[in-house]
Amino acid sequence: MSFVVVRAGALTTVQDRGRPGYANLGIARSGALDLDALTLANRAVGNDDGAAVLETTLSGVGLRAVEPMVVAVAGAHCAVRVDGHPVAWGAPVLVRAGQVLDVGPAARGVRSYVAVRGGVDAAPALGSRSRDVLGSVGPEPLRDGERYDVGAEPATDGGWPGPLAARDVPDEITLPLVLGPRADWFTAGARRALWAATYVVGSASNRVGLRLQGAPLERRDGAELPSEGMVLGAVQVPPDGQPVVFLADHPVTGGYPVIGVVTAEGVGAAAQAVPGSTARFVRAVGP
Amino acid sequence: MHVHRVGTDALLVEVDTVAQAEALHAEVLRRVEAGRLTAVDVVPAARTVLLDELADRERHAREIPTWSVPEVGEASGPVVEIPVRYDGPDVGDVAAAWGVDVADVARLHQEPTYRVAFGGFAPGFGYLTGLPPDRSVPRRASPRTEVPAGSVALAGEFTGVYPRASPGGWQIVGTAVDVTLWDVARTPPALLVPGARVRFREVR
C-alpha cells in the first residue's frame, strides 16, 4: 500500500517514538512532540503504539490513497475530509483508492497526527523513522508529489478503543517545572519572576524548542558555563533572559544555564501551544 | 564532585576539570558495562557527565560522591587514524599563537595521541583532548558562517574535525582526507566516539 502527498503543508514529518541512546554522539531522541497523540492515533487504526505517523504543523496535510487505507487523525483538532466530504476526527476512516484525505488546519493546538493502518514505511535511521530537524537525521519532511509506502497490516489488533478525546488546549498552558540544575545562577528576583510571570509563546517556536517571551530571567553574574548535557524539557536561558523549553529535537549539549526542567506532561502541552498564546510555570508535584 | 538533580529522572555530575570529566565518564561506562548502572543516555561534556533517564536515581545521587574514580591513563586499545592535509586558512594564526613557524604547525598537531572527551556540537563531532596546555588557541574573533565538512580545527584546549558543513569559530588548520565522520548506516554512526583515541597523520 502507498499514498501520494498532494499538499505537504507547512512542515509535515514522519514521527515515531524517536531514537533514544545516541545523545553522546550528538543526536537527541526526537520523535513525536505530542506522544499521547501519537499513541491515540495509532490505537485508533490498530497499530502498535509507536508506529510511524505523520506530524503536521498548523496547516495540515493532504494525501491521495493509491490503494485503500485506514487512517485516523489525533492531536490538534481539525476538519478532516475525504474527497471534500467531512469525516470523523479521532476515529478510523477508510480512504478508498484514488480518494484524497485532507487534514485541515489546526483549529486548536499546533500538531495533528495522522496514523495509517500498517504505519508509514519511510526509511529508518538509527532505529527510528523520526525526522530530527536539528540533527538532520531520519526521513526528510514531506514534499508535494512524493509517494510513501505503508507497512504491513499489524499482527495484533486490540480492537478500536472508541472515539478519541482531543487534548485540552487551554488558552494558557501550565508547564510543571522542577528547579535546577542551574537555578542558583539566577537572581532571587528571577526565581520569583519565574513562578509569577506570564510568558507569550514566540513564533520562532519549533520542534527544537518552545521560545517564550516575557519577564527576563536575570543571571547573578556574567560567568561562562562550559557546555553540558541537556535533557528534554530543559528550560535554557540565553543572555537575553528569555527562556527556551527544549522539545524533542533539542541540542544534546548547551552552554547556557538551565533554570529548571519541565515534566513530560508539560512537554506534551508545549507541543500544542500556539504562537501568541500564553504559558506559566508551576512547581511540579513530586513523584 | 557535585551531583545535581535534573528534572525527575536525571543527574548531572559536575567535576573541576575536563580530565576528571573524562575519568568519570569512563567510570560510568564501566559501571554500565557491569550492569551496576542503567541510564538511557550518558552524555559527557567539558566539566560534567549527564545521566539521563537513570534507573534508581536517588540511590545513585547518594552513592556517586563516594565513588573512587581512577584517572584516565595512557589508554590502550585501537586508535582511529585521521589523514590530514594541513592546508587550513588559519595555520598562520595558530603558528603565531604557538610562537612557532608555520611549517611546524602540522608536526606539532600530529604529536599527541588525542582522546575523544565528548561530543555534542553536531552529530559526529568530537572534542579531542591531548593538546599540551601551551598549545591552546583562542576561538576566532569572528566565526565563519560556513566551515567546510572535514575541516580540522582547534579552539581552547580542544581540537576536532567538522563532520558536516556548519557555521563555526574554531581555527582551521587542515582538511581530513578519506574519512567519513558521520554515517547513519554505520554502527556506531560516529567515527569519533567519546573515549576513543585519535591520531592525525599528514598526507600531501
Side-chain angles (χ1 to χ4, degrees):
Chain A
M1 286 202 299
S2 59
F3 60 82
V4 171
V5 180
V6 296
R7 185 175 66 82
L11 174 68
T12 301
T13 56
V14 180
Q15 297 294 340
D16 53 20
R17 299 188 71 84
R19 49 181 73 78
Y22 293 99
N24 63 328
L25 305 183
I27 295 291
R29 174 189 291 243
S30 189
L33 254 56
D34 186 341
L35 287 166
D36 291 346
L38 169 83
T39 301
L40 289 172
N42 273 323
R43 287 184 184 173
V45 297
N47 285 345
D48 291 341
D49 287 357
V53 307
L54 302 180
E55 178 185 277
T56 69
T57 311
L58 290 170
S59 61
V61 70
L63 312 172
R64 189 177 67 243
V66 176
E67 291 92 19
M69 60 182 189
V70 175
V71 304
V73 181
H77 218 297
C78 60
V80 183
R81 291 188 167 81
V82 173
D83 275 358
H85 300 291
V87 297
W89 179 99
V93 171
L94 174 65
V95 186
R96 298 178 191 281
Q99 286 188 324
V100 171
L101 167 75
D102 192 77
V103 177
R108 209 164 168 78
V110 176
R111 296 174 173 91
S112 299
Y113 291 82
V114 187
V116 183
R117 184 169 166 85
V120 178
D121 190 16
L126 304 178
S128 165
R129 294 181 169 83
S130 292
R131 176 62 177 180
D132 176 345
V133 301
L134 184 71
S136 298
V137 179
E140 297 269 346
L142 270 65
R143 286 190 297 250
D144 289 352
E146 284 178 331
R147 183 170 167 150
Y148 283 81
D149 287 333
V150 174
E153 282 278 305
T156 56
D157 190 334
W160 184 42
L164 306 182
R167 175 190 285 281
D168 181 36
V169 182
D171 292 326
E172 180 169 281
I173 60 165
T174 54
L175 300 171
L177 182 93
V178 179
L179 278 181
R182 300 295 179 189
D184 58 351
W185 281 54
F186 295 85
T187 62
R191 279 176 281 168
R192 279 193 300 274
L194 180 71
W195 303 121
T198 297
Y199 287 94
V200 177
V201 175
S203 58
S205 299
N206 57 16
R207 288 184 45 83
V208 176
L210 187 77
R211 294 178 175 275
L212 299 177
Q213 296 159 352
L217 301 173
E218 287 180 350
R219 285 196 226 166
R220 282 164 44 187
D221 55 42
E224 288 267 333
L225 181 71
S227 283
E228 60 191 26
M230 293 282 142
V231 300
L232 179 68
V235 180
Q236 204 189 44
V237 184
D240 67 4
Q242 303 292 293
V244 180
V245 183
F246 277 167
L247 302 180
D249 294 356
H250 67 88
V252 297
T253 59
Y256 298 131
V258 170
I259 193 169
V261 177
V262 170
T263 62
E265 175 199 347
V267 167
Q272 300 294 5
V274 182
S277 67
T278 56
R280 276 168 29 84
F281 293 105
V282 297
R283 286 186 173 78
V285 179
Chain B
M1 187 187 291
H2 191 84
V3 178
H4 303 269
R5 286 174 179 77
V6 179
T8 54
D9 60 3
L11 292 179
L12 183 72
V13 187
E14 185 172 20
V15 292
D16 294 328
T17 67
V18 69
Q20 289 173 9
E22 289 183 73
L24 176 66
H25 178 234
E27 179 65 20
V28 168
L29 294 187
R30 279 192 291 273
R31 286 169 185 262
V32 168
E33 191 72 21
R36 298 165 68 191
L37 184 150
T38 304
V40 171
D41 277 298
V42 175
V43 188
R47 300 288 183 273
T48 54
V49 177
L50 173 69
L51 307 173
D52 196 8
E53 297 185 52
L54 174 65
D56 220 350
R57 178 176 81 162
E58 294 309 311
R59 180 172 63 83
H60 287 299
R62 288 191 305 272
E63 290 181 3
I64 287 172
T66 69
W67 285 3
S68 106
V69 179
E71 283 181 33
V72 175
E74 283 299 307
S76 55
V79 176
V80 178
E81 188 177 84
I82 298 182
V84 182
R85 270 198 317 272
Y86 283 92
D87 58 0
D90 301 327
V91 170
D93 287 352
V94 170
W98 287 355
V100 302
D101 289 340
V102 168
D104 291 328
V105 168
R107 177 177 59 77
L108 292 170
H109 185 253
Q110 289 174 81
E111 266 183 6
T113 297
Y114 298 94
R115 192 168 181 281
V116 184
F118 56 96
F121 157 71
F125 186 83
Y127 290 79
L128 308 185
T129 53
L131 275 175
D134 59 349
R135 297 277 179 256
S136 289
V137 298
R139 293 167 59 89
R140 285 174 52 80
S142 168
R144 291 187 171 87
T145 54
E146 181 150 322
V147 172
S151 293
V152 177
L154 302 96
E157 57 196 313
F158 303 110
T159 186
V161 187
Y162 284 78
R164 61 171 74 165
S166 71
W170 288 31
Q171 309 270 7
I172 304 172
V173 294
T175 308
V177 181
D178 295 332
V179 291
T180 303
L181 276 299
W182 178 254
D183 177 1
V184 293
R186 186 171 62 190
T187 305
L191 182 66
L192 304 182
V193 177
R197 294 191 300 158
V198 181
R199 288 193 69 91
F200 294 101
R201 177 173 57 81
E202 183 170 21
V203 295
R204 293 176 193 277

